[in-house]
Structures are given as C-alpha cells and as structure tokens.
Amino acid sequence: KATYVAVNDYEGKMLEERTGKTLVELSRGVKALIVTRGASGSTIHVEGQQLDIPCVKAEDVVDPTGCGDAYRAGLLYGIATGRDWRATGQLASLMGSLKIASRGGQNHARTRDDIVSRYQREFGAKL
C-alpha cells in the first residue's frame, strides 16, 4: 500500500526475487519507484517512464554513512514542493553527494544558498 518505493540496487534485486516481478512491473502499482546505484546514479520509474539521474560528483569521499537518507531527504523535499521528477532526482543526487563529503550520519550542514548554488552549477537550472 505504498505510494512511493525507494530502494538501493541490492534491495531492488531482493524485491524482484521476493515478489517475482520486475521493478518496472512493480512501479506500475505506485506513483514512483526509485532505485539508487551509488556512484552510478539512480533511476526513477514513474508514469511508464524511466528517468536516469546522474550521480553528482562529490567534492570529497569521506563517509557514505547517511547518504541514502540524504538522498531520500532530497526526494521528500522535491515531492513536498511539487517539483517534477527529474528535478527531484537531481536534488536527491546532490544531497547524497554533499553528505558523503563529511564524516558521520548527521554531521553535515549546508545552507539553502549553498544547495541552490551547487544545484545550478551541476544542472544548469534554478532550484
């Protein structure tokens, strides 16, 4: 009864094995199904489409702890503010890359201006 499903690539494979359905098939039952693939980016299955979102190159790779949570925070912000799925995925990717550059799950702090500036630099669009 989920509205959205977000999994990493390993969890996506497990979901397919356990349900006997492909991710594409599973995506038809939700508003969006998101699969993260670490440095390989992510894929958003939505409305019969597959949006491939590139990974934002991190300034430094320090600690992956909390990157998935940071990515999902970007997803939730995009959903809550009515952004389209490409912009939502790009923001999520950016948030994961900002997190990986600091140690610990909750020790990173960025200002909104910093996030907006970096988003524009990475994607050539305003957030």
Side-chain angles (χ1 to χ4, degrees):
K1 295 190 179 195
T3 303
Y4 306 101
V5 174
V7 295
N8 63 35
D9 50 354
Y10 172 77
E11 294 164 336
K13 287 182 176 113
M14 294 298 294
L15 193 57
E16 287 180 323
E17 289 176 13
R18 300 287 164 99
T19 64
K21 295 181 180 183
T22 67
L23 293 175
V24 171
E25 291 172 320
L26 291 167
S27 73
R28 294 182 191 129
V30 294
K31 286 188 178 181
L33 188 146
I34 301 98
V35 182
T36 61
R37 297 185 317 276
S40 297
S42 58
T43 302
I44 300 175
H45 299 272
V46 61
E47 297 175 357
Q49 298 179 43
Q50 178 176 309
L51 301 175
D52 292 315
I53 308 296
C55 179
V56 172
K57 185 171 173 50
E59 294 170 344
D60 195 10
V61 177
V62 176
D63 183 2
T65 304
C67 287
D69 293 336
Y71 181 96
R72 283 165 181 75
L75 283 179
L76 291 172
Y77 183 84
I79 292 166
T81 57
R83 299 210 177 344
D84 66 50
W85 280 104
R86 182 159 309 278
T88 295
Q90 290 170 337
L91 176 60
S93 180
L94 174 61
M95 298 308 293
S97 81
L98 293 173
K99 166 36 208 109
I100 203 166
S102 64
R103 186 157 314 284
Q106 298 178 357
N107 296 333
H108 57 291
R110 297 291 181 131
T111 66
R112 178 170 173 67
D113 288 343
D114 180 38
I115 293 167
V116 168
S117 173
R118 181 82 188 272
Y119 184 92
Q120 187 161 7
R121 191 168 65 242
E122 291 294 331
F123 301 109
K126 291 188 177 192
L127 183 60

